[in-house]
Amino acid sequence: MIYSLAAPRRRHPETGRLHQSVIKPIGAPFTDRSVDTATGTVSDVTLESATDAEIEDTVAVMGGDDWRRWIERLDAESLLAPGATTVAYSYVGPRLTWPIYHDGTIGRAKADLAACARRLDDALAPLGGRALVSVNQAVVTQSSAAIPVVSLYLALLRRAMAERGLTQGCIEQMQRLFDEQLYAAGPPRTDADGLIRLDDLEQRA
């Protein structure tokens, strides 16, 4: 079961509260170069620091709560097969984007997603099941292209990887996930944080 979400908002199923996610740094404003995908103009952009409420809302939208609820509901209805595997997609990115991504509101939500995976993995163990997070390589999508600073990085990344013969699209990544990780001999290979790293080509020096 694949869980992959890039959404601007989510209405909580219990409270009815509408949570709106934001793309902001945490702790201090951040300024860097970005590209306007509509015009192709490269310029400096400054993003203001997120409030506590904005961090909470972003985690509520992009964190692990929705994934956890799906799996727990399926389990409660006895709809999970023995050995059921669930995988959430995530992204880390290079350090140059970390102030806006890894260390920002989205990164806080991704950390919540990874923590959820560990709890789900324990819960699925009696079924012989597992829960994993796959950190995938950056790809250009409507969602990713809208992230300030990251959009410029994406444009440069595609060129750099093509020049090195390392181009890897969505299909190639998912083939690697299933062939080399989920259904290969032995358990999936993970990093020190328990994450599958399909972004290994992107992260090469």
Side-chain angles (χ1 to χ4, degrees):
M1 292 164 287
I2 301 297
Y3 183 83
S4 179
L5 176 68
R9 64 190 62 86
R10 171 190 177 219
R11 188 174 299 281
H12 195 281
E14 291 183 357
T15 66
R17 178 182 168 188
L18 183 65
H19 297 274
Q20 179 79 36
S21 64
V22 298
I23 301 170
K24 289 186 175 183
I26 293 175
F30 175 67
T31 299
D32 206 336
R33 297 183 72 73
S34 188
V35 61
D36 184 326
T37 55
T39 65
T41 303
V42 177
S43 60
D44 286 343
V45 296
T46 297
L47 298 173
E48 295 302 319
S49 178
T51 65
D52 289 343
E54 288 174 326
I55 296 170
E56 178 186 337
D57 279 345
T58 303
V59 171
V61 174
M62 302 290 288
D65 183 65
D66 191 48
W67 183 29
R68 176 187 61 81
R69 288 176 181 278
W70 275 105
I71 300 304
E72 288 181 351
R73 181 62 183 271
L74 290 168
D75 188 28
E77 299 291 339
S78 300
L79 294 173
L80 295 178
T85 295
T86 182
V87 182
Y89 293 160
S90 190
Y91 181 66
V92 172
R95 288 188 178 275
L96 67 91
T97 67
W98 277 18
I100 185 62
Y101 203 97
H102 184 273
D103 296 333
T105 53
I106 298 178
R108 190 68 63 85
K110 298 297 186 183
D112 184 79
L113 186 75
C116 176
R118 293 189 289 272
R119 294 192 297 270
L120 285 176
D121 196 60
D122 290 340
L124 291 173
L127 286 174
R130 55 191 175 175
L132 298 157
V133 173
S134 176
V135 177
N136 300 335
Q137 178 183 302
V139 292
V140 178
T141 66
Q142 186 175 7
S143 298
S144 64
I147 302 175
V149 181
V150 174
S151 56
L152 179 57
Y153 166 73
L154 287 174
L156 299 173
L157 173 69
R158 293 185 65 182
R159 178 186 300 176
M161 295 195 71
E163 290 172 349
R164 293 161 176 77
L166 298 176
T167 301
Q168 180 181 241
C170 295
I171 293 175
E172 290 80 9
Q173 286 191 67
M174 294 307 100
Q175 182 172 347
R176 287 185 63 202
L177 174 64
F178 281 79
D179 287 352
E180 300 175 12
Q181 295 283 356
L182 299 183
Y183 296 103
R189 298 182 303 279
T190 59
D191 66 9
D193 296 317
L195 307 172
I196 295 173
R197 299 303 295 264
L198 290 184
D199 63 343
D200 52 345
L201 300 181
E202 175 186 348
Q203 296 292 347
R204 283 173 52 169

